[in-house]
Every structure is written in C-alpha cells, then in structure tokens.
Amino acid sequence: MSKKLVLMDRDGAVDDYLSVVLLMTMEEVETLGVIVTPADCYIQPAVSATRKSSI
C-alpha cells in the first residue's frame, strides 16, 4: 500500500496544532509540508510550534 501524500494548511489555533501532531503519527501518510495561515493568530509562534511538532 502506498502512502498518501498530504499538504496541510493550518492556522495558529490549538485544534489545528493537535491535528498536525496526529498527522505526524500516521504511518500511512507522507507529509509534504505544513502551511501556517496567519488567521486569528500570531504567525511566528504558530510557525515555531508547527516546526517543533514535526521533529
């Protein structure tokens, strides 16, 4: 079975952060990247949190 390719777009809210964390644990998914859209958030902390979750 081939992995599904995923490009995720998120804002800085905690629910989307949890989605990124869950996405990184899925063995059947290959994450191409995560885009952070500055909607109702401060962009720099949102990008920083996203980068830490993908390690």
Side-chain angles (χ1 to χ4, degrees), residues 3-48:
K3 292 186 176 188
K4 293 183 181 182
L5 303 177
V6 175
L7 177 62
M8 183 176 190
D9 182 17
R10 68 170 295 247
D11 61 21
V14 69
D15 60 331
D16 285 0
Y17 174 74
L18 292 174
S19 296
V20 171
V21 172
L22 290 173
L23 180 69
M24 296 301 167
T25 66
M26 299 175 72
E27 293 180 8
E28 66 273 9
V29 170
E30 182 178 342
T31 306
L32 296 175
V34 179
I35 301 166
V36 181
T37 303
D40 298 333
C41 71
Y42 294 107
I43 189 67
Q44 196 57 42
V47 169
S48 178

